[in-house]
Amino acid sequence: MSSSSIRMTNQIHLSIPETDAPHVQLAIESLTVKTDPVKDFEMRILVAIDGSKISQEAVHSLGDRLWHPDTKFLLVHVLEPVTSEYASMYMTYSTDYGRIVAERLSDAEKLVKENADFLKSKLPTAKVESSVLEGPVKECLIEKAKDWHADFIVMGSHGRKGLSKFVLGSVAESVLSESPCSVEIIKTA
């Protein structure tokens, strides 16, 4: 990989307040900026996983593709808040709510680690990170994509239709419409 150079010999115009003008001396004959377009390339791919077969297929599809060696992957699982209906279901089976919450977190961390390890084994030069977030899924994914400066989001879609889509909504559809970057949705057949 050879580096390329950009040579600029045109004039550079600066705006300097009049009060500072007598103190400023500037003489630039030329400016050379060295870049390595291949080395400086870094793509950031956020991968949303939820433990379903389709999200696992999304991870596997990424492992089967060719990526630039500097590609960064962030595998994200979002734990939704425990609603009162959800909590009452758990409380029926256990009075140890704290233990249930800890188990959910532990299961989520295991899920992202297993998927990250798989991706690392398939793409050994890629940088693979994982994260477990807590909150509403769509909002967490959009916010993480913005904060992490994702270039691309990959996620699965369960392909719900009709009443179940109306009642449950579509996280993939919401992410697609509000994402700050490109989104690839892997769908069930």
Side-chain angles (χ1 to χ4, degrees):
M1 289 185 237
S2 65
S3 65
S4 59
S5 295
I6 301 170
R7 187 163 179 84
M8 300 168 54
T9 55
N10 293 339
Q11 294 180 354
I12 298 175
H13 299 278
L14 298 173
S15 295
I16 302 169
E18 282 187 38
T19 55
D20 293 336
H23 307 291
V24 175
Q25 292 182 353
L26 182 62
I28 298 177
E29 288 182 22
S30 68
L31 176 65
T32 303
V33 179
K34 292 190 176 188
T35 62
D36 187 340
V38 175
K39 184 178 180 208
D40 293 338
F41 179 81
E42 173 186 278
M43 186 166 193
R44 295 170 159 259
I45 302 172
L46 186 147
V47 186
I49 58 174
D50 63 4
S52 67
K53 182 179 177 189
I54 194 66
S55 74
Q56 191 168 19
E57 288 176 19
V59 172
H60 284 247
S61 77
L62 292 171
D64 292 338
R65 301 182 206 177
L66 294 175
W67 297 99
H68 188 278
D70 290 335
T71 302
K72 288 186 176 182
F73 294 89
L74 176 61
L75 283 78
V76 175
H77 178 75
V78 180
L79 285 174
E80 291 187 88
V82 178
T83 62
S84 58
E85 296 84 22
Y86 195 60
S88 65
M89 180 181 75
Y90 272 121
M91 298 310 265
T92 305
Y93 299 106
S94 171
T95 56
D96 189 359
Y97 178 74
R99 182 179 58 78
I100 297 295
V101 171
E103 284 177 10
R104 287 181 69 218
L105 181 59
S106 175
D107 291 346
E109 289 170 343
K110 180 180 175 188
L111 175 70
V112 293
K113 183 184 181 324
E114 287 171 354
N115 281 276
D117 289 346
F118 169 80
L119 210 51
K120 287 176 189 176
S121 73
K122 296 289 280 188
L123 305 168
T125 62
K127 295 162 191 78
V128 181
E129 303 170 23
S130 60
S131 179
V132 175
L133 306 174
E134 294 183 66
V137 177
K138 178 196 75 165
E139 288 84 356
C140 286
L141 292 175
I142 296 294
E143 196 61 36
K144 190 61 166 182
K146 289 177 183 175
D147 292 347
W148 192 63
H149 305 288
D151 298 303
F152 193 45
I153 297 174
V154 176
M155 61 189 308
S157 173
H158 298 283
R160 293 185 179 101
K161 293 185 179 359
L163 185 60
S164 69
K165 181 177 179 181
F166 177 74
V167 173
L168 299 173
S170 171
V171 172
E173 192 174 292
S174 296
V175 169
L176 179 63
S177 67
E178 297 180 33
S179 173
C181 59
S182 298
V183 177
E184 178 180 6
I185 298 174
I186 307 294
K187 296 175 84 174
T188 56

